[in-house]
Amino acid sequence: MYKIKIFQNSIFQFRNLEVFLRMQHNVLILDFGSQYTQLIARRVRELNIFCEIFPYNHFPSDLSSYKAVILGGSPFSVRSEDAPHPDLSQIRGKLPMLAVCYGAQYLAHFSGGEVAASNTREYGRANLSFIKENEIFFEGVSENSQVWMSHSDSIKALPTNGVKLASTHDVEFAAYKIEGETTYAIQYHPEVFHSTDGSKMLENFLVKIAEVPQNFTPNAFVEEIVAEMKEKIQDDKVVLGLSGGVDSTVAAVLLNKAIGKNLYCIFVNNGLLRKNEFQSVLDQYKGMGLNVKGVDAGDRFLSELAGVSDPETKRKIIGRVFIEVFDDESHQLEDVKWLAQGTIYPDVIESVSVKGPSATIKSHHNVGGLPDFMKLKIVEPLRMLFKDEVRRVGATLGIDPELLGRHPFPGPGLSIRILGDITPEKVQILQDVDKVFIDGLKSWGLYDKVWQAGAILLPVNSVGVMGDERTYEKVVALRAVESTDGMTADWVHLPYEFLMKVSNDIINKVKGVNRVVYDISSKPPATIEWE
């Protein structure tokens, strides 16, 4: 019996795609470690402009394909000894540049201006109280426009040749530009939702000032990526692990469009999916022309997880067993040369962050580190796309909107929504609760207004009264959040009438549960999942 092998360094390089993307007149975004950097990129992509994120200290030496540069924010102060210091010699004065928050303070501090600690920490909503007249950057921006501040330092004096463009009540130099350069700087974050005209300001800078064409579209991407995969893969066989989620499904349809019958998809049931999801997902794929094999390995996963309570250990066990099951199934195929993955751009960015791999809050459900005994070339057709772009590509491919609109679901499944050890009985309880909750959201027309929802089985029992008898049964928490990318999230204000109805249905229909609570924590400080 042979073993399928995977080389992490054998990632399929889409050379024609890279040429295509360079032709999109890229925008370069320099990352200084801010939690908002990906949001900047998403806002730029929403303008149909292709952009890439690179660490401030490791960006391309050849900038000929870039039409503009954006300096992001940072958790550091420009006055601290360990502050990031980018080399802007090939950028400043040569390419249009927008400096955001830390970037604006960096330009001021090291170019003849002054940055000092504010008397009050400037976080949250503010309103522009002054906007310079006839300034293209603020064209179409309303008076008193709301912006989002997030800094403890403030610019007290502008850099050499700096011209004030905007102020708020507390910040005199909220925006400025450098005369003689196409350089603009703002102390607020235009990329966040709370900056009401933020997207308009980005559009003004990129389209009207930097003159970057808006030609990055899903249709163009699909045509180029399919042609590239046909050329590179040719008659080779490709194996793909389907999860039933948006990313792996879109990757599968793209590959199927390129290589057809040479794509082999494997969908593994780890016993921790939603109720009836294994069969329902297989049924969904039947009408899509995909070659899919379903593998029911639920008993194997649950056996390995027996008695395990630590969440990180759960994730590692599930990752290991999945690779074992996937390998067992894959080695039954002959002459497979490629492994396809649904990696998306946030995964790529996080792997090359400013400070290297981020500190582990929890293991990523898609990136667990493949073992040395697996050896295949890797193809990742979605690795340059954000989640919302993946959905738009999926729509271009004609994938069912219901599938594209599915909420994200953690790779470890319900294991990390069962706090404590896992048993088949607990899995069944949570599956039943989750089904009542999700079905309720759909029937009330709330599902598409929620980014992600689920139920959590808590490791406590509570006293209740049912039929004049005392009960001592399980407590479940319901979680529903709104977000754009999962980096930050806020709890959804579901109608009280809905919460009352769904709570009543859960307690009446799910044996073993006598109390329901609703999680009203935002991310940060909480995470979306409880484990």
Side-chain angles (χ1 to χ4, degrees):
M1 181 175 74
Y2 73 86
K3 294 286 186 181
I4 285 208
K5 302 186 182 297
I6 298 173
F7 278 144
Q8 288 291 357
N9 60 357
S10 301
I11 293 177
F12 180 3
Q13 297 298 321
F14 295 103
R15 290 187 176 83
N16 289 346
L17 179 63
E18 290 172 357
V19 173
F20 163 73
L21 293 177
R22 284 199 297 272
M23 292 173 62
Q24 300 305 299
H25 304 284
N26 296 1
V27 172
L28 172 64
I29 300 174
L30 297 189
D31 177 19
F32 296 90
S34 169
Q35 63 177 319
Y36 295 136
T37 302
Q38 288 191 37
L39 286 180
I40 297 176
R42 292 186 75 258
R43 295 293 176 260
V44 173
R45 297 278 187 94
E46 286 170 2
L47 297 171
N48 290 333
I49 294 173
F50 185 74
C51 64
E52 296 176 277
I53 297 174
F54 284 91
Y56 75 93
N57 54 358
H58 190 64
F59 58 87
S61 56
D62 180 7
L63 300 178
S64 60
S65 65
Y66 295 98
K67 304 302 178 184
V69 177
I70 298 177
L71 308 184
S74 175
F76 293 94
S77 165
V78 296
R79 299 176 299 109
S80 65
E81 293 183 1
D82 55 354
H85 292 280
D87 179 4
L88 302 178
S89 60
Q90 299 302 310
I91 297 173
R92 187 170 172 184
K94 300 175 182 178
L95 289 171
M97 183 170 68
L98 174 63
V100 175
C101 196
Y102 177 88
Q105 295 173 358
Y106 181 86
L107 290 181
H109 186 66
F110 291 100
S111 299
E114 180 186 356
V115 176
S118 300
N119 294 328
T120 57
R121 294 164 69 88
E122 293 160 339
Y123 292 105
R125 295 172 177 85
N127 296 90
L128 298 179
S129 58
F130 162 79
I131 297 176
K132 186 176 182 293
E133 292 184 358
N134 301 319
E135 178 53 55
I136 296 177
F137 187 86
F138 289 104
E139 190 173 297
V141 176
S142 60
E143 292 287 339
N144 206 39
S145 180
Q146 179 177 285
V147 294
W148 185 261
M149 295 287 186
S150 182
H151 57 90
S152 56
D153 288 342
S154 192
I155 297 170
K156 301 302 182 182
L158 290 177
T160 303
N161 297 325
V163 177
K164 182 172 72 172
L165 299 184
S167 305
T168 68
H169 177 72
D170 295 317
V171 179
E172 182 179 2
F173 303 117
Y176 66 90
K177 68 178 180 180
I178 306 294
E179 284 190 331
E181 304 176 14
T182 314
T183 298
Y184 289 74
I186 52 181
Q187 285 203 79
Y188 51 85
H189 289 271
E191 68 274 17
V192 304
F193 172 78
H194 302 292
S195 290
T196 52
D197 293 311
S199 292
K200 183 62 179 173
M201 297 175 202
L202 288 172
E203 182 179 11
N204 287 343
F205 171 73
L206 293 171
V207 179
K208 295 182 179 180
I209 296 172
E211 299 182 344
V212 182
Q214 296 170 278
N215 54 5
F216 181 62
T217 66
N219 283 337
F221 178 84
V222 169
E223 290 176 6
E224 197 63 37
I225 197 74
V226 169
E228 178 76 358
M229 289 189 294
K230 283 181 179 179
E231 179 184 341
K232 296 297 291 187
I233 298 175
Q234 297 187 13
D235 294 327
D236 291 348
K237 292 181 180 179
V238 179
V239 63
L240 167 68
L242 279 173
S243 68
V246 175
D247 300 336
S248 66
T249 299
V250 174
V253 175
L254 273 172
L255 280 158
N256 187 57
K257 190 175 178 67
I259 63 172
K261 60 182 177 58
N262 283 336
L263 173 65
Y264 295 83
C265 302
I266 298 174
F267 178 38
V268 177
N269 179 17
N270 59 13
L272 298 158
L273 303 175
R274 287 183 157 131
K275 188 171 185 178
N276 302 324
E277 187 171 34
F278 181 56
Q279 190 57 51
S280 67
V281 168
L282 286 176
D283 291 342
Q284 267 188 316
Y285 285 136
K286 283 180 182 177
M288 298 174 66
L290 297 176
N291 178 16
V292 182
K293 180 179 181 180
V295 180
D296 191 351
D299 290 344
R300 180 171 174 178
F301 279 87
L302 292 178
S303 174
E304 293 272 1
L305 288 166
V308 177
S309 297
D310 178 71
E312 274 299 291
T313 304
K314 290 180 189 177
R315 290 172 182 268
K316 290 176 181 177
I317 289 173
I318 290 170
R320 172 179 59 79
V321 176
F322 174 82
I323 289 174
E324 292 172 358
V325 172
F326 189 79
D327 183 60
D328 289 344
E329 294 298 324
S330 297
H331 81 259
Q332 298 178 33
L333 303 171
E334 296 182 357
D335 300 323
V336 174
K337 295 184 179 180
W338 299 88
L339 171 76
Q341 293 182 322
T343 307
I344 61 176
Y345 197 39
D347 305 331
V348 177
I349 296 168
E350 288 166 8
S351 69
V352 290
S353 64
V354 168
K355 294 181 287 185
S358 301
T360 301
I361 297 173
K362 57 181 73 170
S363 299
H364 194 282
H365 64 270
N366 284 331
V367 182
L370 296 168
D372 291 338
F373 70 74
M374 305 187 83
K375 186 176 183 179
L376 279 177
K377 291 180 286 186
I378 298 176
V379 53
E380 297 173 323
L382 307 177
R383 65 183 278 111
M384 296 306 293
L385 300 183
F386 286 101
K387 174 75 79 172
D388 53 338
E389 294 174 318
V390 173
R391 288 193 168 102
R392 289 200 290 272
V393 167
T396 297
L397 293 167
I399 297 175
D400 187 342
E402 183 176 345
L403 195 155
L404 292 177
R406 286 190 63 186
H407 291 176
F409 188 68
L414 299 179
S415 72
I416 58 171
R417 294 182 179 176
I418 298 173
L419 306 194
D421 68 315
I422 298 169
T423 66
E425 294 75 21
K426 290 180 180 179
V427 173
Q428 182 175 343
I429 288 174
L430 189 55
Q431 284 178 332
D432 290 342
V433 170
D434 180 85
K435 180 168 174 50
V436 173
F437 185 30
I438 299 301
D439 286 353
L441 288 170
K442 291 179 178 178
S443 65
W444 280 62
L446 298 169
Y447 185 84
D448 292 335
K449 299 177 181 179
V450 172
W451 191 76
Q452 185 171 346
I456 301 92
L457 185 65
L458 304 185
V460 295
N461 285 17
S462 75
V463 174
V465 178
M466 302 176 74
D468 294 328
E469 294 183 1
R470 178 185 183 276
T471 62
Y472 192 56
E473 296 180 331
K474 297 294 183 184
V475 180
V476 294
L478 304 183
R479 180 82 159 132
V481 299
E482 54 187 4
S483 180
T484 54
D485 46 30
M487 293 175 58
T488 60
D490 202 359
W491 62 280
V492 178
H493 294 243
L494 295 174
Y496 289 136
E497 294 80 7
F498 168 77
L499 291 173
M500 178 177 65
K501 177 69 165 59
V502 78
S503 173
N504 190 60
D505 287 347
I506 289 171
I507 292 171
N508 286 338
K509 296 178 181 179
V510 182
K511 185 177 180 181
V513 176
N514 70 356
R515 191 178 300 270
V516 178
V517 299
Y518 186 52
D519 182 350
I520 59 170
S521 307
S522 296
K523 176 187 179 181
T527 53
I528 294 176
E529 299 293 344
W530 281 41
E531 286 192 341

